[in-house]
Amino acid sequence: MKKMKSGEKDKFSLWLLAWPIFIELFLQILLGTVDTLMVSRISDNAVAVVGFSNQLFNALTTLFATVASGAGIVIAQKIGSGREEDARTVAIIAFKVTAAIGIFLSILLIAVPGPIATMLQLPDELLPLAKVYISIVGGGMILTAMISMLGTAIRNTGNTKGPMFTAIGMNVIHIMMNYCFIFGAFGFPQWGLTGVAISTVVSRLIATVVLLFIFLGTFQRRIGIKDIPVFDRKLFKEVLVIGWPLGVNSASWVFSQLAIFSFLAVLGATELAARTYMNTLESFCFMLGFSLAMAAQIQIAHLYGAGKTKEAYRAVYRVLTFGLPLVIVNAFILVLFGPKLLGLFTQDAEILTLCAALLWLNLLLQPGKMINMALGNSLNAVGDTRYTMIISLIFMSVVATGCSYLFGVSLGWGIIAIYACMISDEYIRGVFSFFRWRGRKHLRMKEQELLQERGFNQESHGQAQGKTAMDGVATPAL
């Protein structure tokens, strides 16, 4: 096994991985908040459409996230084991596959935006806005697919700064173009939500070009046009073995959230807008914790590939030690200052009253999310993706989605009951993930694999020495 250089070790330290991810997320969320604030100047209905559409887009991204997420973990593992050429091949294959999926999704969303929104129970008064927004932003799903794959591949080589700077630039351009289109500044047409959709696609196109440039030079051997036909069935199978449960896991969460948004749409536009505003504020609670969890996944996958199972096991507890207090403090600060912040987005008294109650429930929700982010990402990093998939399918379907409909819609207890079901789901899955990680199943399998590999190498070395010794003995003459 290839020994890591000191510079490579530093590159995969938790802090060096985490801080660019944190800054990227912080500025994305901050600028996303400004984006929501700008859209709210159009109308609360426009905010509801954007929030609803984003849930739809998140659901569809799971189709290419399956490949991107699996490829990211395999890339980090291969680099950890000193097999960078394999990591490079995985990145090329994954890029081509995600691009193909992205093209398919773009065509679908351009063709039938209205029927999709209707099928998902969007209120009739929101349909005209939704058709325009979904067709334009959805038509750029190819760009979303490429950004996802390129960013994941680059981060898992240890370069988290490249995607950070790209994301910052993309969001700044998006906000500037929003300002121009919403308010008709600098001679731009005042296109409202249509302009917001156009600025989203243009900013993503620029980000895709920048990430592609970084991606081509991210490995020791530069990627070029001659690498387009590259394909390795065995490596792609490794990606899918890890990736398909990740895709199902991600799909479980996203479709659960999409179902919940549909339930809220049944309750009314007020509840839908309240959840959209809360999503924006909640993002600030766990961004540092989520950054640590993402960094931990990269680090643990790298350590696992290098055979450092003890260090990999301890890494998740360091993340929880730092992450949980941060999330709790952030959620409490939001309880104190959230009502004033919400006043920047809307003056609707009913929406503000709903959000004030949800801020207290968020204080319970966020620690459960932090536990799942840290433990779930760590299990995924060592390849234990089927387990996280199974518990996600069971508890998100039954608790988060099923109970939300039963208590929130059927029994008429509303958005408060839906939040309570979401909280229960997070903690139940967190407990299951905690005991699974303590069991060290995949880490022990890796240790056994290393022992067998060392035994084989020692046996081969002994046979080679014996052969050398025999070759040194003169053959007696007959």
Side-chain angles (χ1 to χ4, degrees):
M1 187 172 292
K2 184 179 174 181
K3 189 176 180 180
M4 282 188 295
K5 299 176 182 178
S6 60
E8 190 175 351
K9 290 180 183 178
D10 293 339
K11 186 170 69 171
F12 283 91
S13 71
L14 188 65
W15 170 245
L16 287 180
L17 290 169
W19 77 260
I21 297 174
F22 167 69
I23 292 175
E24 177 183 345
L25 286 174
F26 174 75
L27 291 174
Q28 274 187 329
I29 292 167
L30 181 63
L31 293 170
T33 304
V34 175
D35 188 27
T36 304
L37 185 61
M38 285 181 166
V39 174
S40 71
R41 293 296 178 265
I42 301 172
S43 68
D44 285 331
N45 281 351
V47 172
V49 166
V50 172
F52 181 88
S53 301
N54 286 341
Q55 291 300 318
L56 169 63
F57 300 147
N58 288 340
L60 294 175
T61 57
T62 58
L63 295 174
F64 52 76
T66 298
V67 178
S69 301
I73 291 172
V74 173
I75 287 168
Q77 289 180 353
K78 295 298 182 186
I79 291 176
S81 62
R83 300 169 184 169
E84 185 177 293
E85 193 63 25
D86 284 349
R88 179 181 180 274
T89 301
V90 167
I92 294 168
I93 295 170
F95 173 74
K96 292 187 292 185
V97 174
T98 52
I101 297 171
I103 291 171
F104 167 76
L105 292 177
S106 291
I107 295 171
L108 176 68
L109 291 171
I110 290 171
V112 288
I116 291 174
T118 302
M119 181 180 65
L120 295 172
Q121 305 297 315
L122 191 69
D124 291 340
E125 66 268 25
L126 302 182
L127 281 176
L129 283 174
K131 288 178 182 178
V132 174
Y133 190 80
I134 291 173
S135 62
I136 296 174
V137 177
M141 285 296 284
I142 172 61
L143 303 174
T144 307
M146 294 175 75
I147 288 171
S148 173
M149 180 57 233
L150 294 170
T152 300
I154 294 165
R155 282 190 200 94
N156 280 275
T157 63
N159 176 11
T160 52
K161 292 180 183 178
M164 174 193 73
F165 288 120
T166 304
I168 292 169
M170 177 180 72
N171 283 280
V172 169
I173 291 169
H174 178 47
I175 294 300
M176 291 173 62
M177 292 184 67
N178 272 6
Y179 179 78
C180 293
F181 282 125
I182 291 173
F183 301 106
F186 307 113
F188 279 78
Q190 195 169 353
W191 283 347
L193 193 60
T194 301
V196 172
I198 292 171
S199 81
T200 300
V201 173
V202 172
S203 61
R204 286 178 181 172
L205 175 61
I206 295 170
T208 301
V209 173
V210 174
L211 285 174
L212 183 60
F213 177 78
I214 298 172
F215 174 75
L216 295 177
T218 201
F219 297 96
Q220 289 182 5
R221 193 160 67 88
R222 187 175 178 81
I223 297 171
I225 296 175
K226 63 182 180 181
D227 292 305
I228 292 175
V230 168
F231 191 83
D232 186 304
R233 185 176 296 178
K234 183 179 178 182
L235 288 175
F236 188 55
K237 184 179 178 181
E238 284 187 48
V239 171
L240 292 182
V241 166
I242 290 178
W244 79 261
L246 279 177
V248 174
N249 186 355
S250 180
S252 297
W253 184 84
V254 172
F255 280 107
S256 172
Q257 293 300 304
L258 187 60
I260 288 170
F261 262 74
S262 297
F263 301 157
L264 293 171
V266 172
L267 294 176
T270 298
E271 285 79 2
L272 195 59
R275 177 58 183 154
T276 302
Y277 290 131
M278 281 299 299
N279 267 350
T280 301
L281 292 185
E282 286 172 16
S283 300
F284 287 99
C285 291
F286 65 90
M287 58 187 170
L288 184 51
F290 185 55
S291 304
L292 288 167
M294 288 180 67
Q297 178 173 300
I298 298 170
Q299 184 189 51
I300 290 171
H302 187 262
L303 290 169
Y304 178 80
K308 298 186 174 183
T309 55
K310 291 181 180 178
E311 291 93 330
Y313 177 74
R314 290 194 294 264
V316 68
Y317 296 113
R318 290 198 300 273
V319 172
L320 287 173
T321 300
F322 289 114
L324 276 173
L326 287 169
V327 165
I328 293 169
V329 170
N330 286 341
F332 186 71
I333 291 172
L334 201 57
V335 169
L336 297 178
F337 298 102
K340 291 183 180 179
L341 292 173
L342 286 165
L344 298 173
F345 296 97
T346 182
Q347 297 301 316
D348 188 298
E350 194 175 353
I351 292 175
L352 290 173
T353 301
L354 270 179
C355 290
L358 297 179
L359 286 170
W360 284 100
L361 289 175
N362 183 59
L363 190 58
L364 296 174
L365 176 65
Q366 295 306 323
K369 280 191 171 185
M370 179 67 238
I371 292 169
N372 277 326
M373 286 188 294
L375 291 166
N377 282 11
S378 300
L379 288 168
N380 292 335
V382 300
D384 199 2
T385 54
R386 291 193 183 188
Y387 181 80
T388 56
M389 174 193 72
I390 291 169
I391 63 173
S392 294
L393 279 174
I394 294 172
F395 296 112
M396 287 183 187
S397 300
V398 176
V399 180
T401 307
C403 291
S404 286
Y405 181 79
L406 174 63
F407 295 110
V409 180
S410 184
L411 296 179
W413 294 357
I415 193 172
I416 302 297
I418 290 175
Y419 254 70
C421 295
M422 290 164 57
I423 292 168
S424 301
D425 166 60
E426 294 288 355
Y427 280 100
I428 291 170
R429 286 187 292 118
V431 169
F432 274 84
S433 295
F434 173 73
F435 284 108
R436 180 68 167 190
W437 184 254
R438 285 196 64 181
R440 295 170 55 104
K441 178 180 177 181
H442 278 250
L443 294 174
R444 294 186 195 282
M445 289 168 59
K446 184 67 174 180
E447 289 166 0
Q448 285 294 115
E449 179 186 321
L450 291 171
L451 285 173
Q452 291 175 1
E453 184 180 326
R454 287 168 188 162
F456 176 79
N457 288 339
Q458 288 175 356
E459 184 180 345
S460 299
H461 183 64
Q463 289 176 350
Q465 284 185 325
K467 185 177 183 302
T468 302
M470 289 296 295
D471 288 344
V473 177
T475 303
L478 295 176

